[in-house]
Amino acid sequence: MFAIIAAVFAIGVGIVEGVANATREVELDIPRRSYSRLRPIDGSWQSFSIEFSYMADYFGNLSSPNTLSHKLLANLHERSGKNVIIRAGGSTANIALYNESQPLAVENFFNGSTNVGLTGATSDQPSSTLLGPAWFEAFMTAPAGTKYVYDLNYRDNSTQGVNATVVVAKRVYDLLGPNIYAFELGNEMEKWGGRYRAADWSPELYTQDYLKYTNIFEEQVFPNASVQPFFQMGTLQGSGNATTNQPWNSIVIMGLGLNNYGQIKSASQHDYHGSNCASTKEIAELRQNLLNHTNVQVRATPHIQMSPIIDKYGVEYVLGETNSISCQGRDNVSNVFGSALWYLNYNLYIASSTMVSRMYFHQGTPYRYSLWSPFLSESNNHSALVRPSYYGALALSEAIGGNGGEKQIHAIVQEETLVAYSLYAGGELDGLFIINLEPWNATQTGDRPFIQFQLPERISKSATMKRLTAPGSDVKTGGTWAGQTVNEEGNVEGDVVLEKWRPGDLVNVEYAEAVLLKFENE
């Protein structure tokens, strides 16, 4: 066990000095109870999508498992009380072929990347991926109880292609059984018309095609399955709703009868908060795209509209692939400490404003937005094994964990660079997260500014406080959560730094910093 340092938060003289130096003072209005009908979130809320071609990198095999990934996932489980769900999917699921005689688990060929972005993205994704039998061992090395979404190759619609997909699905089902959360068919197929499908490819044709596959699966893959449904439909590109990405969105496709046979477990939309793609017209920036709550609100609007409609079908609505900047992230934006603050805000805002069931944060071995890379590499901007956004995941796990492990989230402050959320367990106030999104560069001189917060007098519970902080929002290393760091083996090390808050105390939160208060039971 790590030693715990209990630091009494600014009282007496410290408070007087704090008032003098604060850039502003904010009085928080925090309801003591929650009457929200939004779904509560638990530890599986923040789940992960691993690029299909890199799944073996992240999890290894039975003889050589990737202990870093195992430990990092175990850290989150320890704090939240629930396993994340792992989705193996993405663009490379569309090009993956199975070779029964291949000795290697996976062979990736880079004959021109399938998705090349701008800076540092020349070889992010292979142009073809071949899988061998050992590939499936990667799904057996994560912490016990981990479930998977498996994205099947849906590109080849010929009889041979369909049969090959069925063979892989049966192997996955026979191997993983109850650990399969869902099957996906393909990835972002909206623009397949004239390439992998007929020129008149449409949601109507997609629905017919999809039902052909699901019926074959029920006959040949799991005819005696005790648990249904098994499919996560859509994997649709962008933030589509009834008026955006028309006609390719979950509302349209569900309305066409995709779930008439009760085969659909969840509907997946993908979403990013900026672009690093070669075709992008606006270069993503840390302040503009991530340290910007207004951008988060705009991006969330379609999910606010769509998720309750899909939920009424009895189908989960998920962000089945998401992260900061599309085309695998942008250097000095996706892989710096500001991304950890964005990660917290994005998760908490979606939880507070939608009926989204789960968030799958996408990762890949060379991707700049990955929370961690499975091994150290000097190429492809592997600046650290564990990136700053993982610290945001640790902090979120602790916020969700405890008191039954299910929390409802209320947004109580929403400014462009300042947000605060109250958390409730069983309707009772459980925690408070304050996130100061104002940028602060490590090279800046002088005292770091902070905002001072006053909680309402009706809050009579004491609390412990933990801080997510770093020398600046622009740094790639040096971040801490409650004074602790995560080393290259995935171990959380150092003394835990706790601060004590008592009713009437003030809370100081510096620029580019977040603070979690966990209230004690009365």
Side-chain angles (χ1 to χ4, degrees):
M1 290 292 291
F2 294 107
I4 296 178
I5 300 175
V8 177
F9 186 76
I11 299 176
V13 175
I15 282 290
V16 173
E17 294 175 349
V19 170
N21 295 328
T23 58
R24 57 185 286 211
E25 301 171 42
V26 176
E27 293 186 6
L28 297 176
D29 184 11
I30 306 172
R32 291 187 59 179
R33 290 189 56 82
S34 167
Y35 298 98
S36 172
R37 294 186 178 182
L38 290 178
R39 79 171 73 246
I41 64 174
D42 61 20
S44 69
W45 162 269
Q46 59 166 352
S47 288
F48 299 107
S49 168
I50 309 297
E51 185 65 51
F52 201 84
S53 56
Y54 297 125
M55 186 71 182
D57 284 358
Y58 272 84
F59 292 98
N61 55 45
L62 291 176
S63 61
S64 182
N66 188 292
T67 55
L68 173 63
S69 292
H70 189 285
K71 182 60 180 174
L72 292 176
L73 294 177
N75 291 340
L76 302 181
H77 177 273
E78 179 182 342
R79 286 156 178 77
S80 74
K82 292 277 299 260
N83 282 314
V84 304
I85 297 175
I86 301 294
R87 175 220 186 206
S91 297
T92 55
N94 295 329
I95 59 171
L97 300 174
Y98 179 62
N99 180 2
E100 178 72 39
S101 61
Q102 179 174 298
L104 296 176
V106 59
E107 288 190 83
N108 289 318
F109 299 91
F110 294 83
N111 300 320
S113 173
T114 61
N115 200 347
V116 178
L118 298 175
T119 305
T122 56
S123 58
D124 285 345
Q125 294 182 354
S127 53
S128 64
T129 294
L130 298 180
L131 312 175
W135 154 267
F136 301 100
E137 293 184 14
F139 296 83
M140 304 172 71
T141 68
T146 299
K147 293 184 180 295
Y148 298 93
V149 176
Y150 194 100
D151 194 349
L152 293 157
N153 190 332
Y154 177 59
R155 190 174 76 172
D156 185 354
N157 201 34
S158 68
T159 300
Q160 181 180 0
V162 174
N163 289 340
T165 296
V166 169
V167 167
V168 172
K170 184 163 178 53
R171 180 178 282 269
V172 173
Y173 178 75
D174 291 344
L175 181 69
L176 299 180
N179 288 331
I180 299 173
Y181 188 78
F183 281 114
E184 286 184 341
L185 294 177
N187 182 77
E188 298 179 355
M189 69 292 295
E190 296 97 314
K191 298 180 181 180
W192 283 14
R195 299 176 64 200
Y196 313 128
R197 294 294 189 271
D200 61 347
W201 181 238
S202 64
E204 289 80 5
L205 292 176
Y206 167 74
T207 300
Q208 297 172 22
D209 201 41
Y210 198 99
L211 291 173
K212 177 182 73 175
Y213 274 79
T214 57
N215 291 336
I216 291 173
F217 273 50
E218 290 199 345
E219 293 173 1
Q220 300 183 28
V221 178
F222 37 79
N224 301 312
S226 59
V227 178
Q228 293 274 27
F230 258 120
F231 295 96
Q232 181 159 289
M233 74 88 166
T235 66
L236 298 172
Q237 192 176 48
S239 308
N241 62 10
T243 57
T244 328
N245 274 5
Q246 188 69 277
W248 287 96
N249 61 70
S250 293
I251 293 176
V252 170
I253 290 172
M254 289 295 287
L256 291 170
L258 195 75
N259 196 35
N260 282 354
Y261 304 127
Q263 298 164 319
I264 306 303
K265 173 176 285 187
S266 48
S268 171
Q269 297 278 163
H270 296 177
D271 203 3
Y272 292 86
H273 286 201
S275 175
N276 189 45
C277 302
S279 60
T280 188
K281 297 179 181 178
E282 184 176 308
I283 304 302
E285 299 175 358
L286 182 62
R287 169 64 179 87
Q288 175 182 329
N289 293 81
L290 301 190
L291 297 179
N292 185 341
H293 183 62
T294 303
N295 188 44
V296 172
Q297 290 175 306
V298 170
R299 303 280 179 167
T301 299
H303 311 303
I304 294 171
Q305 296 172 356
M306 294 184 70
S307 58
I309 296 172
I310 300 303
D311 188 71
K312 288 181 180 179
Y313 283 95
V315 170
E316 296 178 350
Y317 181 98
V318 303
L319 295 183
E321 183 185 309
T322 191
N323 212 305
S324 57
I325 309 298
S326 64
C327 288
Q328 299 82 54
R330 182 164 176 78
D331 191 28
N332 294 315
V333 177
S334 300
N335 53 4
V336 297
F337 181 74
S339 68
L341 302 174
W342 165 84
Y343 183 94
L344 276 176
N345 182 37
Y346 180 32
N347 276 285
L348 292 170
Y349 182 68
I350 292 292
S352 73
S353 61
T354 75
M355 290 296 287
V356 168
S357 294
R358 192 165 293 105
M359 308 274 277
Y360 291 87
F361 285 86
H362 199 49
Q363 306 194 93
T365 304
Y367 296 0
R368 292 152 295 283
Y369 57 42
S370 297
L371 280 74
W372 72 92
S373 295
F375 46 76
L376 182 63
S377 172
E378 294 303 321
S379 63
N380 296 310
N381 295 315
H382 286 214
S383 56
L385 285 170
V386 181
R387 291 199 174 91
S389 49
Y390 179 77
Y391 287 77
L394 272 183
L396 184 62
S397 291
E398 289 202 23
I400 297 171
N403 281 350
E406 285 194 344
K407 303 292 161 63
Q408 285 186 310
I409 315 298
H410 284 209
I412 57 174
V413 175
Q414 297 191 68
E415 300 178 8
E416 186 159 289
T417 59
L418 179 65
V419 291
Y421 300 90
S422 51
L423 294 79
Y424 300 85
E428 297 289 340
L429 182 64
D430 178 77
L432 171 68
F433 233 133
I434 304 171
I435 308 169
N436 191 337
L437 298 168
E438 193 66 42
W440 178 259
N441 292 339
T443 56
Q444 289 181 250
T445 59
D447 293 335
R448 189 163 168 174
F450 63 88
I451 299 176
Q452 195 157 67
F453 297 87
Q454 175 73 59
L455 278 61
E457 293 182 2
R458 62 177 172 272
I459 304 300
S460 57
K461 302 177 180 180
S462 295
T464 56
M465 297 200 313
K466 293 185 177 182
R467 292 180 184 270
L468 178 66
T469 192
S473 51
D474 59 333
V475 300
K476 295 180 179 179
T477 60
T480 60
W481 166 240
Q484 294 186 297
T485 59
V486 185
N487 66 21
E488 293 184 354
E489 287 73 46
N491 296 310
V492 181
E493 57 184 12
D495 293 333
V496 177
V497 178
L498 297 179
E499 303 173 41
K500 186 70 175 179
W501 180 88
R502 296 183 179 87
D505 290 348
L506 303 176
V507 179
N508 294 344
V509 185
E510 292 185 339
Y511 283 13
E513 184 176 74
V515 170
L516 171 66
L517 283 77
K518 293 281 280 188
F519 294 102
E520 299 170 357
N521 293 326
E522 293 179 327

